[in-house]
Amino acid sequence: MDPYLLGLRLEGRRVVVVGGGAVASRRVPALLDASAEVLLVSPKVAASLEDLAAAGRIRWEARGYRPGDTAGAWLVCACTDDPAVNSAVASAAEQQRTWYVRADDAGASAAWTPASGQAADVRVAVLSVDPKRGDPRHSAGLRDAILDGLRSGALSARHGRKHPAGVAIIGGGPGDPGLITVRGRQLLAEADVVLTDRLAPRSLLDELRDDVEIIDAGKIPYGRAMAQEHINAALVSHAQAGRFVARLKGGDPFVFGRGAEEVLACLRAGVPVTVVPGVTSAVGVPASAWVPVTHRGVAQEFHVVSVHVAPGDERSTVNWELLGGSSGTLVLLMAVERIGAVADELLRYGRSPDTPVSVIADGTLPTQRTINSTLEQVESRIAEEGIRPPAIVVVGNVVNVAAEITELMRHVTALRTG
Ligand SMILES: C[S@@+](CC[C@H](N)C(=O)[O-])C[C@H]1O[C@@H](n2cnc3c(N)ncnc32)[C@H](O)[C@@H]1O
């Protein structure tokens, strides 16, 4: 018998879950996503379920199942590890004509839970029609493949569905194409026009359909300030012509990315705009070299600084005295060419000459390179090694934690490879 698939609208409707272990921990959050009113019956429950009860998101009766517990339910989930209890719950539900799912015996269930997930406004559910022999990993694998296809745009039903409008300013992450967010990738796949930056994850552009217009904003002439005006104008004019525009940027759009300028330009022209946050290189690039920007007992704060102008330059608004006097981690962007002046300033205001420094170029990309040095020597090391932008400079004792991690990693890898 083939099952009949339905999407249950559970908002405000009672769902009774009996059992509080691993299965219930997976089911309950999905039921809450559907705004169900969840009653959980179990003497003991997993910590995540206890947290949901403490937060008032579910009602938890801390006791064993009793006849009558399923009264008033629209759906019942029997998830204990005791088949006799599950069977009693199922018979009660059957008698009162309520749909029920038994976690331990698909053949004795009135309904089956599909492997499900969501990509933008599409909910995907995959159900094996042979619950006895069907491998749940097969359904989950298929579900993942479909979701991946929808998210990357490889699977789409462009004609016949509502097309998004306006502009999406998308943070693409530090460079590795796997570090863009799911939403960023979905919106990119929907775009008619993509304006991309030099540091955006460009390999994602290969996945776009042939009819998508790609504009390389890094190649717009007129110099920096003018180029931004032209980018804003291009975003507005394409959107006003009815195209959905993705503005793909490196890192996070609002971290030294002029993303807010683009948002304001769109809104001033009456163009709808959305922003998708990204993994900023300020945190993602150090992590890719095992440098934690904070570490208990080592650094309680971190400062992210743009060094696009040198200390002492009249356009600089950075308080180098404060940074020199603090013990927090410094994460310096656009600093490679001005590192000598930065080091002098930090030494002048109190940082020690042997403060560890890490310089990570092309972070998260196959060409990533890291050099470790000290505040006193970093300028000459960068010159010797020929390090070029884009690079992140991290100053502080957290660099030593990376050294410890790297050493242990080497040890573990050696053990595993014999
Ligand atoms: C104009 S800022 C843009 C920052 C971006 N919005 C973000 O959140 O990462 C450009 C600077 O970010 C840093 N950067 C960006 N991507 C990088 C990468 N993959 N490796 C090293 N540094 C990177 C460099 O310091 C570069 O000069």
Side-chain angles (χ1 to χ4, degrees):
M1 276 171 297
D2 289 340
Y4 181 76
L5 285 178
L6 273 182
L8 296 185
R9 299 180 63 201
L10 293 174
E11 186 178 359
R13 298 193 160 119
R14 175 174 294 188
V15 178
V16 174
V17 178
V18 184
V23 177
S25 305
R26 283 210 308 271
R27 298 275 193 273
V28 168
L31 291 166
L32 289 178
D33 284 349
S35 304
E37 181 207 309
V38 176
L39 166 63
L40 177 66
V41 179
S42 179
K44 279 194 286 182
V45 297
S48 62
L49 294 170
E50 208 172 326
D51 289 348
L52 289 173
R57 302 208 43 216
I58 60 174
R59 204 177 102 212
W60 172 29
E61 299 274 340
R63 55 167 176 78
Y65 167 73
R66 285 186 205 139
D69 278 344
T70 57
W74 291 72
L75 178 67
V76 171
C77 302
C79 317
T80 75
D81 50 14
D82 182 344
V85 174
N86 289 345
S87 169
V89 173
S91 341
E94 176 81 34
Q95 267 188 7
Q96 68 185 55
R97 299 186 175 203
T98 300
W99 293 106
Y100 56 92
V101 183
R102 268 187 74 164
D104 59 332
D105 187 350
S109 285
W112 296 330
T113 308
S116 63
Q118 188 141 340
D121 51 0
V122 178
R123 185 122 197 109
V124 171
V126 178
L127 202 56
S128 165
V129 289
D130 182 353
K132 285 227 169 72
R133 277 177 297 151
D135 180 355
R137 281 174 305 183
H138 182 239
S139 307
L142 260 178
R143 181 241 359 239
D144 292 345
I146 296 167
L147 290 176
D148 276 356
L150 288 170
R151 285 167 186 158
S152 69
L155 260 183
S156 79
R158 287 178 66 80
H159 310 291
R161 63 149 179 72
K162 211 168 133 239
H163 195 53
V167 173
I169 314 273
I170 301 172
D176 178 335
L179 291 177
I180 190 171
T181 61
V182 170
R183 183 172 309 156
R185 202 150 169 211
Q186 279 165 0
L187 290 175
L188 189 63
E190 305 240 357
D192 302 304
V193 181
V194 177
L195 262 99
T196 169
D197 265 350
R198 207 165 40 85
L199 292 179
R202 285 162 176 258
S203 50
L204 290 173
L205 304 178
D206 285 346
E207 295 176 1
L208 301 176
R209 299 179 327 278
D210 291 345
D211 60 334
V212 176
E213 184 180 352
I214 297 172
I215 301 170
D216 190 339
K219 289 200 177 137
I220 292 182
Y222 307 106
R224 263 178 84 83
M226 271 305 275
Q228 189 59 54
E229 279 176 32
H230 279 78
I231 291 168
N232 296 351
L235 295 175
V236 167
S237 65
H238 282 292
Q240 284 176 336
R243 300 187 189 102
F244 178 53
V245 187
R247 171 75 172 112
L248 183 63
K249 301 173 85 78
D252 182 274
F254 282 8
V255 178
F256 306 131
R258 307 188 76 165
E261 291 176 41
E262 295 173 3
V263 168
L264 287 168
C266 290
L267 292 177
R268 283 181 186 133
V271 167
V273 63
T274 182
V275 171
V276 182
V279 175
T280 178
S281 62
V283 177
V285 166
S288 73
W290 300 109
V291 181
V293 291
T294 67
H295 191 70
R296 193 154 54 93
V298 177
Q300 203 184 342
E301 61 193 277
F302 68 100
H303 307 259
V304 180
V305 184
S306 164
V307 194
H308 71 286
V309 289
D313 186 300
E314 60 182 19
R315 291 163 297 167
S316 175
T317 57
V318 178
N319 186 339
W320 290 102
E321 183 172 356
L322 184 144
L323 297 177
S326 103
S327 60
T329 305
L330 305 184
V331 181
L332 310 175
L333 278 71
M334 297 171 265
V336 168
E337 287 111 327
R338 289 162 285 277
I339 193 66
V342 169
D344 288 349
E345 205 73 347
L346 292 174
L347 293 172
R348 180 151 79 102
Y349 288 120
R351 292 268 176 156
S352 158
D354 57 10
T355 305
V357 177
S358 194
V359 183
I360 308 135
D362 287 351
T364 78
L365 295 168
T367 48
Q368 173 167 331
R369 274 182 78 195
T370 305
I371 59 161
N372 291 320
S373 184
T374 60
L375 208 45
E376 195 174 35
Q377 292 181 346
V378 63
E379 184 182 18
S380 53
R381 283 277 285 139
I382 283 180
E384 277 160 29
E385 297 285 339
I387 296 285
R388 303 280 319 137
I392 296 275
V393 180
V394 186
V395 179
N397 289 333
V398 286
V399 168
N400 294 336
V401 181
E404 192 183 339
I405 294 175
T406 315
E407 184 51 37
L408 284 169
M409 284 289 291
R410 226 175 263 139
H411 190 64
V412 171
T413 313
L415 280 179
R416 285 171 64 89
T417 53

